[in-house]
Amino acid sequence: RLQIEHLVNTARPSDEELHPGSDVIQGLSQQPKTLPPRYFYDDRGSQLFEQICDLPEYYLTRTETEILQSCASEIAEITGTCELVELGSGSSTKTRLLLDAYQTAGHSLCYCPIDISAGILESSAQSLLLDYPALQVHGLVGTYELALQRLAPSHLPTRMICFIGSTLGNLNPQECDRFLEQIKNALQPGEYFLLGIDLQKSKAQLEAAYNDRQGITAAFNLNMLRHLNHRFEGTFDLTQFEHLAFYNESQHQIEMHLRSVQSQVAQLKSLGLTVEFALGESILSEISRKFSLTKIQQDLESKGLKSRQVWTDAKQWFGLILCQL
Ligand code: AVI
């Protein structure tokens, strides 16, 4: 009942596959300096992210779970029997709510988790198989882009691609546009896309969520430098950088930075890179965009993804949109 495929792009390897770390060199060589958020997620970073999801200030996971709890059966009713494809499946915790709804409605269960980390994909698939005796799992290890190109035709009547957790917010507008185009290309007419997004709200609420009192988000941010040290023989001194997160109201996005607390030089030896930092200079490590439901629905519609149903919580802090191509 379990099949896991490791995807490799042999036909057209990306720049990153040909030259690992080229994205780090590029980001740290530009002004202002940036780093790709994917370097958050080594084993420790993934654990810290799981802890973030349980923080009292980080309302996102709780709120989305609450919405899913109340709308999962409606989703199953709208789509009928369908293959669930999940991008960035991670621990697949929220997916269980959907699987429960399909199971209760008597539908066949077929789940295709997609994740860049083989370890987490395999362990969560194993635990799902124990809890859902009729479940078939076909996992894909690789990037979203490659996985979306390689989705095998579903043997069930329809398919729903799920992208929950507001991970769309970590893409800039151009990346977001490209991503939605890839979603459209991966779906057949009539198939579904379920999107979870964090909505615009007060600066105070947002900033609290990314500056938690226990300092877990700060540890998550700083862990990126630890990860780079490990991966590229780096010399970043973690005590000489601090976590900074604020809401940029005009761009409707949280910006996370790693700010240098002194003027210093760091090296990534295996990349042959030396980086100079002025006192107070920062690296942009992540953006987390906050959406307006109407605007994102227009963006989806422009790709032919029509909203079938929208759910939010009582405070309208988080939204779940079910679209159909
Ligand atoms: C994964 N992503 C949706 C999280 C977010 O809220 O943008 C990542 C995160 N960064 C800091 N806290 C959580």
Side-chain angles (χ1 to χ4, degrees):
R1 293 193 287 131
L2 173 64
Q3 204 188 332
I4 294 183
E5 227 180 295
H6 293 251
L7 303 174
V8 239
N9 196 348
T10 39
R12 200 167 48 86
S14 65
D15 211 29
E16 181 47 32
E17 279 161 324
L18 289 172
H19 309 285
S22 55
D23 52 354
V24 173
I25 300 180
Q26 203 200 333
L28 291 180
S29 309
Q30 69 193 28
Q31 272 316 325
K33 294 179 172 63
T34 63
L35 277 169
R38 69 191 192 89
Y39 289 100
F40 282 131
Y41 301 98
D42 62 350
D43 285 346
R44 179 161 164 71
S46 303
Q47 279 166 12
L48 286 166
F49 180 65
E50 293 291 318
Q51 289 180 40
I52 288 176
C53 293
D54 291 334
L55 286 170
E57 297 93 337
Y58 196 75
Y59 58 85
L60 287 83
T61 315
R62 244 188 338 274
T63 315
E64 189 178 42
T65 304
E66 195 185 295
I67 302 172
L68 267 173
Q69 268 159 351
S70 69
C71 74
S73 57
E74 223 179 309
I75 294 176
E77 199 176 307
I78 296 174
T79 67
T81 302
C82 83
E83 180 191 67
L84 291 184
V85 175
E86 185 175 14
L87 295 168
S89 48
S91 59
S92 302
T93 318
K94 284 174 280 187
T95 322
R96 287 172 176 263
L97 299 168
L98 288 168
L99 291 172
D100 289 343
Y102 283 93
Q103 182 169 261
T104 308
H107 297 303
S108 310
L109 297 181
C110 182
Y111 177 48
C112 176
I114 297 170
D115 209 284
I116 196 78
S117 154
I120 190 147
L121 191 143
E122 172 139 17
S123 62
S124 44
Q126 295 287 9
S127 88
L128 286 175
L129 289 171
L130 288 176
D131 296 338
Y132 298 87
L135 179 68
Q136 304 275 348
V137 180
H138 182 181
L140 299 177
V141 178
T143 62
Y144 299 158
E145 185 171 5
L146 205 52
L148 287 171
Q149 286 166 13
R150 301 277 181 85
L151 281 179
S154 170
H155 61 275
L156 293 180
T158 193
R159 166 179 278 158
M160 175 166 74
I161 300 182
C162 308
F163 194 47
I164 56 180
S166 202
T167 309
L168 188 74
N170 300 128
L171 306 183
N172 68 35
Q174 296 88 286
E175 291 166 337
C176 179
D177 185 74
R178 234 183 106 217
F179 173 81
L180 294 180
E181 188 71 30
Q182 289 162 1
I183 293 287
K184 176 189 94 179
N185 294 335
L187 292 171
Q188 297 297 321
E191 292 184 337
Y192 297 91
F193 177 47
L194 181 68
L195 177 66
I197 42 163
D198 195 16
L199 302 176
Q200 291 164 7
K201 60 185 66 62
S202 80
K203 188 174 165 71
Q205 285 295 350
L206 285 164
E207 290 188 345
Y210 292 82
N211 289 286
D212 65 277
R213 297 210 300 180
Q214 292 170 55
I216 310 285
T217 311
F220 172 75
N221 198 7
L222 283 158
N223 180 62
M224 187 188 268
L225 298 180
R226 207 191 57 93
H227 181 198
L228 293 180
N229 280 347
H230 180 73
R231 188 121 166 212
F232 302 113
E233 287 177 62
T235 63
F236 280 109
D237 179 349
L238 272 63
T239 64
Q240 299 308 313
F241 286 87
E242 64 187 7
H243 163 75
L244 180 71
F246 57 86
Y247 189 50
N248 178 333
E249 282 179 288
S250 62
Q251 300 292 316
H252 304 290
Q253 64 190 22
I254 285 282
E255 293 181 10
M256 278 209 330
H257 293 259
L258 288 156
R259 183 163 61 186
S260 174
V261 299
Q262 63 164 0
S263 73
Q264 55 182 318
V265 176
Q267 285 180 297
L268 291 171
K269 293 181 191 156
S270 72
L271 297 178
L273 184 70
T274 302
V275 197
E276 287 178 19
F277 292 91
L279 165 70
E281 185 178 356
S282 71
I283 310 172
L284 174 66
S285 51
E286 183 180 65
I287 59 163
S288 188
R289 294 167 65 215
K290 307 301 164 189
F291 297 89
S292 120
L293 272 176
T294 5
K295 172 72 175 60
I296 189 73
Q297 281 177 282
Q298 285 165 5
D299 294 347
L300 290 160
E301 183 100 28
S302 76
K303 303 287 176 199
L305 295 160
K306 298 172 283 294
S307 296
R308 276 291 305 264
Q309 190 70 262
V310 179
W311 297 270
T312 57
D313 53 296
K315 291 183 187 150
Q316 304 228 328
W317 275 11
F318 203 94
L320 211 54
I321 307 178
L322 178 65
C323 311
Q324 191 171 25
L325 185 66

